[in-house]
Amino acid sequence: MPILSRLLLLATLILTSALTSAAQAPRKIGEVVVTGDDAIGVRITASSPEMQRIADKAFESHGRYKRVARGQTYDIRFTAVAATQIRVDVTRGSAGTPVVSQTVAGTTAQNALLRAADVAVEKTNGLGLRGFFTAQLAFVIQQRGNKGDIYTSDLFLGGATRVTHDNALTLTPRWSPDGSRIIYTSYFKTGAPDIFLLDPRTNRKNTFVSFRGTNTGAQFSPNGQQVAMILSGEGTPELYVSNAQGRQVARKTRSDAVKSSPSWSPDGSRIVFTMDPGPQLYVVAAAGGTPRRLSSSYSYMAEPDWSRTNPNKIACTVRVGGQYRIAVVDAASGKATVVDMKNPPFDAIEPSWLADGRHLIYTARDRTTSVLCILDTESGRSTRITSPNTKALMASAWTPAK
């Protein structure tokens, strides 16, 4: 098969997931409740109905918590004290032993509430987990004949804003580590896949690389100084690394096999990517060298995302029978474990880690619907965050530093 045909076939498999699962009513996607035995009992209250709704959804998405009556484990209270300030009060047990009382400021009222909820998580989970509720999303929406544009929002769609108007096939938007830029692939302008760099505050974009052939899969290194990407200008799609301006482009792999979806290790020393046949996951030193196959647990392993929190966790899409599922691969042992719900009525694809290293964002798809969900990889709990009436996919998350 010609190289370009193989590339297009691989892209089709990854992006459409073959849609082999049975059709399901859209409202069912992501609405799954799985409560682990180690779940912490909490009672959540807030000073307004809208705050209550957002706080409830946040904690219900976590998987570490379960709703209980007053006095069982923790009481968490959110109170608005100013337009963009929320006080969070946490007490423990029937005696109401104080745990924390803190006023948190945000960029908006919802942002302040989510920041306060992160404080509550960090004070109550008992595992040292960082909160993830303040994540900012970048994702693609395709609707009403639009081939695809990028939107940004908070984790629960607060402040959702369209930041591109390309109306072109748009793939894999990914944040820079400081949240100031989004790098993505689009067929805008040339009708071929080029890589663009976008400032989401001004909506201004610039061409990052536009070489002959295909230019896809760009991701910033953890320090923001380099970008890994897949380019086919020399023939076979290969892994390349450039500086943050798209210059000093250096080839890191050499073989006849199609490659895709690079993702950096947390320390920036290695890159995981997919390669045919299969595809399968391979790891190579960021400086280049001979790639090492990571796992052979499944015949199809694609779309890897290396956790920025835990160097041993790589999320990916695997094929189990006729379905696509989310798995987490141990980078040390190569063992892969499916972590989403059992026998889902949809395909689960495109995983992207959240800041705590336990939760991730993924796309759930059936024959008619494509929605974004939060997955708790420990309990298997999945929470839908976008409407089934809107075709949303390919999300990545960035969490501001504290």
Side-chain angles (χ1 to χ4, degrees):
M1 181 183 295
I3 289 173
L4 181 56
S5 297
R6 292 162 62 197
L7 176 62
L8 292 175
L9 175 59
L10 177 59
T12 300
L13 286 171
I14 294 174
L15 297 177
T16 66
S17 294
L19 303 182
T20 53
S21 60
Q24 186 76 11
R27 66 179 184 276
K28 296 296 185 182
I29 288 186
E31 294 181 353
V32 181
V33 177
V34 181
T35 303
D37 293 337
D38 64 344
I40 297 171
V42 292
R43 178 176 180 263
I44 310 293
T45 57
S47 60
S48 74
E50 180 61 13
M51 288 174 57
Q52 185 74 53
R53 181 188 68 81
I54 297 167
D56 285 345
K57 185 159 189 175
F59 279 88
E60 286 166 3
S61 73
H62 198 287
R64 177 69 173 154
Y65 296 92
K66 61 182 177 181
R67 305 286 292 280
V68 296
R70 181 179 177 84
Q72 297 182 28
T73 311
Y74 292 103
D75 278 280
I76 303 174
R77 171 75 178 175
F78 299 101
T79 305
V81 297
T84 58
Q85 292 185 340
I86 303 293
R87 187 180 73 245
V88 55
D89 295 287
V90 181
T91 60
R92 182 183 178 95
S94 57
T97 304
V99 174
V100 66
S101 180
Q102 182 174 333
T103 297
V104 181
T107 55
T108 65
Q110 180 159 317
N111 178 254
L113 175 62
L114 295 174
R115 287 177 180 270
D118 273 348
V119 170
V121 167
E122 291 166 9
K123 298 297 183 180
T124 59
N125 69 77
L127 299 175
L129 292 177
R130 178 184 179 187
F132 67 85
F133 297 143
T134 53
Q136 298 292 301
L137 299 182
F139 54 97
V140 175
I141 287 183
Q142 299 173 341
Q143 60 181 345
R144 298 188 183 94
N146 190 314
K147 295 180 181 178
D149 274 303
I150 297 173
Y151 287 68
T152 60
S153 74
D154 71 23
L155 188 60
F156 301 100
L157 302 189
T161 304
R162 182 177 177 179
V163 293
T164 67
H165 293 79
D166 296 351
N167 190 21
L169 182 60
T170 301
L171 310 173
T172 59
R174 300 195 180 279
W175 293 92
S176 62
D178 64 359
S180 67
R181 293 161 292 171
I182 296 172
I183 196 165
Y184 68 102
T185 293
S186 176
Y187 285 66
F188 173 74
K189 191 181 289 187
T190 66
D194 295 324
I195 297 173
F196 294 86
L197 198 58
L198 169 74
D199 182 338
R201 297 164 297 185
T202 64
N203 295 1
R204 293 184 60 182
K205 66 175 179 290
N206 297 298
T207 302
F208 186 77
V209 296
S210 179
F211 296 114
R212 178 175 60 89
T214 58
N215 309 273
T216 62
Q219 187 184 79
F220 277 97
S221 62
N223 64 9
Q225 296 179 7
Q226 295 178 291
V227 173
M229 67 196 97
I230 302 295
L231 309 176
S232 69
E234 297 183 66
T236 303
E238 298 283 6
L239 173 65
Y240 289 76
V241 172
S242 74
N243 65 17
Q245 292 73 45
R247 302 185 181 93
Q248 301 174 6
V249 180
R251 184 173 173 173
K252 301 300 179 181
T253 59
R254 294 180 180 275
S255 74
D256 291 333
V258 172
K259 303 161 192 73
S260 63
S261 306
S263 181
W264 295 82
S265 65
D267 64 0
S269 67
R270 294 169 291 167
I271 299 171
V272 63
F273 62 97
T274 66
M275 185 165 64
D276 278 351
Q280 291 289 309
L281 302 188
Y282 288 79
V283 174
V284 68
T290 301
R292 172 180 63 88
R293 187 171 177 175
L294 185 60
S295 173
S296 59
S297 301
Y298 297 91
S299 61
Y300 179 101
M301 303 182 73
E303 302 171 329
D305 189 52
W306 209 320
S307 170
R308 263 63 73 192
T309 303
N310 188 329
N312 283 330
K313 286 185 176 182
I314 299 174
C316 68
T317 302
V318 299
R319 187 165 55 208
V320 182
Q323 283 189 303
Y324 292 85
R325 307 281 299 278
I326 303 299
V328 173
V329 182
D330 185 300
S333 67
K335 180 182 178 181
T337 304
V338 172
V339 292
D340 60 356
M341 65 177 290
K342 294 181 179 179
N343 303 315
F346 49 78
D347 285 320
I349 59 174
E350 302 165 353
S352 179
W353 285 106
L354 291 169
D356 67 341
R358 170 172 172 149
H359 296 81
L360 52 79
I361 300 291
Y362 74 98
T363 302
R365 279 180 158 179
D366 64 15
R367 287 189 172 90
T368 60
T369 312
S370 177
V371 297
L372 300 179
C373 301
I374 300 169
L375 174 66
D376 176 15
T377 62
E378 296 295 325
S379 69
R381 179 173 185 148
S382 181
T383 304
R384 192 185 70 219
I385 56 175
T386 60
S387 167
N389 298 320
T390 301
K391 187 176 182 181
L393 61 159
M394 290 188 170
S396 68
W398 166 72
T399 301
K402 297 191 176 180

